Amino acid sequence: MNRPTAIHPLIPALALPLIGLAAPVLAQDAGPAAAAVTADTVAPIVDKGDTTWMMLSAILVMAMSIPGLALFYGGLVRAKNMLSVLMQVLTIFCVVALLWVAFGYSLAFTGAGSADAATALTPFVGGLSKAFLAGVDTSSLAETFTANVFVPEYVFVVFQMAFACIASALIVGATVERMKFTAMLAFVVIWFVFSYLPMAHMVWWWGGPSAHDAPAGFLFSHGDLDFAGGTVIHINAGVAALVAAIVVGPRVGYGRELIAPHNLTFTFIGGCLLWIGWFGFNAGSNMEATGTAAMAILNTVVATAAAALAWAFAEWAFRGHPSLLGGVSGAIAGLVGVTPAAGFVGPMGAIAIGLVAGLVCMWFVVSLKTRLGIDESLDVFGIHGVGGIIGAILTGVFAAPSLGGTGVYDYATGSVAPGYSIAGQVTTQMLGVGVAVVWSAVVSWLALMIVKAVIGLRVSQSDERQGLDITTHGENAYNS
């Protein structure tokens, strides 16, 4: 394939960065012709090493949800609600996986193959040309971030499916111990369709390096940098969680009774599983087993370590003790913060992002949330929302080559674009943050109003006091 030499007028040169998880060429409505092998084209390169790494990364990300997130959340609730949390995470994972192959992949990662075919909706959502994975088989390919280098499209489908599943499951933590099981499922399905899929399309959909001048998602075309999901996943889900916590209301006894985690050992194990799985999350987003993937792994380690220490030591200084819960929470904050930056910043930049994320998230969770009086139970917004915002904005700072970052890659010239502007990129990053916050907040509120009117949001007060394990699922986590 010949790489186009000019950039489409709708997509300025600096709006063509090497952004993680962008759509493959074959995911466009333009169809397989974009990558077909003919007599006058070069045969596509499909490297088994890249393919293996992507499949392993997908498995690691799935392990983040089940059992990682399930155990992390489960340990933080009271014993009478342990199974309810595990069941919510498990069920949401299963539902979203099926919705993904039915229509989610198509809506997120298809679109017009040329400017002439684009419509007003093209920058915001895809079509249904690949609903039920029509046209996807063992021979179809997805282009990576190197022109003419591909992985099997099934690999890309399952990798993105893992992301969609954990993003949806994250919301569970905001309304544990009082929201109806059916209401939670209905809310998450509506949010997935109308918030997650459009955000994934806006941030990650493009034509690939061999068709970089084709139409792209709204935020991608503006140059928003999100290597592995700071806006698409963490801000998006974090805002949904905050809105849900406000609308559903606090737990019975919140602020008056002790509501303590029942098993921090489970939370620690779940947090560590999240950290390990996050290597697939961040490094897998490179789509190739290269030096950039290795850098993303290193950044994921050092940012997380810095954030865990920042939270624990700050807590030690201000509250007199470095708690395990604080250390694990700090680690998650660091993982979230480095997610959008993992392939764009150097290790020193990653450490700085981790330190800031750990400190700011701790302040929000320990101090500000209490004053606001919002029972955002397991700090989904406090860690994922706030950490995602910090990471997204600081990506614009530390991606600067002068600070050890990679800069912005211009596919029209085949090199890093000169004259990186920190102020300009931070402005673009703030646009991405703003769109994610507003989009998710509006969709979440509307979804909750619909569910409230049709199903109702909360269990009865007596069921809540007895615990959702026995009243909703008819079993206990522990039998003595």
Side-chain angles (χ1 to χ4, degrees), residues 71-163:
L71 286 175
F72 182 80
Y73 280 172
L76 291 173
V77 299
R78 289 167 289 186
K80 61 185 179 181
N81 294 306
M82 172 68 169
L83 294 183
S84 70
V85 173
L86 300 184
M87 188 59 178
Q88 286 182 34
V89 173
L90 173 64
T91 307
I92 287 172
F93 182 96
C94 296
V95 169
V96 172
L98 296 179
L99 294 179
W100 183 253
V101 298
F103 58 81
Y105 175 68
S106 188
L107 287 176
F109 290 108
T110 68
S114 66
D116 292 338
T119 68
L121 291 178
T122 296
F124 303 101
V125 70
L128 294 173
S129 62
K130 295 209 171 185
F132 300 100
L133 300 186
V136 181
D137 56 33
T138 56
S139 64
S140 57
L141 303 175
E143 193 170 29
T144 67
F145 303 110
T146 302
N148 204 49
V149 176
F150 295 81
V151 295
E153 191 171 2
Y154 273 134
V155 173
F156 186 78
V157 171
V158 72
F159 184 69
Q160 282 288 353
M161 180 182 72
F163 274 61

Side-chain angles (χ1 to χ4, degrees), residues 385-401:
V386 174
I389 291 170
I390 291 168
I393 294 173
L394 291 184
T395 297
V397 175
F398 292 104

Side-chain angles (χ1 to χ4, degrees), residues 250-259 464-465:
R251 288 166 287 184
V252 172
Y254 178 74
R256 301 186 307 275
E257 303 173 7
L258 178 63
I259 303 178
E464 184 175 341
R465 287 199 175 279

Side-chain angles (χ1 to χ4, degrees), residues 195-445:
S195 188
Y196 182 83
L197 296 179
M199 281 302 305
H201 184 86
M202 283 191 276
V203 175
W204 287 333
W205 177 71
W206 68 314
S210 294
H212 63 266
D213 57 347
F218 175 74
L219 291 174
F220 189 100
S221 65
H222 280 78
D224 183 52
L225 299 177
D226 188 356
F227 194 79
T231 50
V232 178
I233 295 172
H234 298 293
I235 299 176
N236 200 4
V239 170
L242 179 62
V243 173
I246 294 172
V247 173
V248 173
R251 288 166 287 184
V252 172
Y254 178 74
R256 301 186 307 275
E257 303 173 7
L258 178 63
I259 303 178
H262 89 282
N263 195 322
L264 287 178
T265 301
F266 282 164
T267 297
F268 175 78
I269 294 171
C272 292
L273 287 170
L274 284 167
W275 190 345
I276 298 302
W278 224 289
F279 294 125
F281 201 90
N282 285 351
S285 297
N286 187 56
M287 291 187 70
E288 298 176 58
T290 65
T292 301
M295 181 179 72
I297 290 176
L298 178 58
N299 286 343
T300 302
V301 175
V302 297
T304 308
L309 293 176
W311 186 310
F313 279 72
E315 190 177 47
W316 196 356
F318 293 106
R319 306 181 77 186
H321 55 266
S323 69
L324 173 66
L325 178 57
V328 176
S329 299
I332 304 302
L335 289 165
V336 171
V338 78
T339 291
F344 297 126
V345 307
M348 300 306 108
I351 291 173
I353 291 173
L355 288 171
V356 175
L359 291 172
V360 175
C361 289
M362 186 216 67
W363 168 77
F364 184 93
V365 169
V366 173
S367 180
L368 183 59
K369 189 184 80 165
T370 303
R371 294 201 293 269
L372 293 175
I374 299 172
D375 186 14
E376 205 271 281
S377 310
L378 307 186
D379 300 311
V380 185
F381 179 77
I383 293 177
H384 295 273
V386 174
I389 291 170
I390 291 168
I393 294 173
L394 291 184
T395 297
V397 175
F398 292 104
S402 61
L403 296 177
T406 63
V408 177
Y409 193 84
D410 182 359
Y411 280 98
T413 62
S415 61
V416 175
Y420 185 92
S421 169
I422 292 178
Q425 190 60 51
V426 167
T427 300
T428 300
Q429 298 300 105
M430 292 178 69
L431 171 66
V433 169
V435 170
V437 169
V438 173
W439 194 288
S440 184
V442 171
V443 170
S444 299
W445 185 83

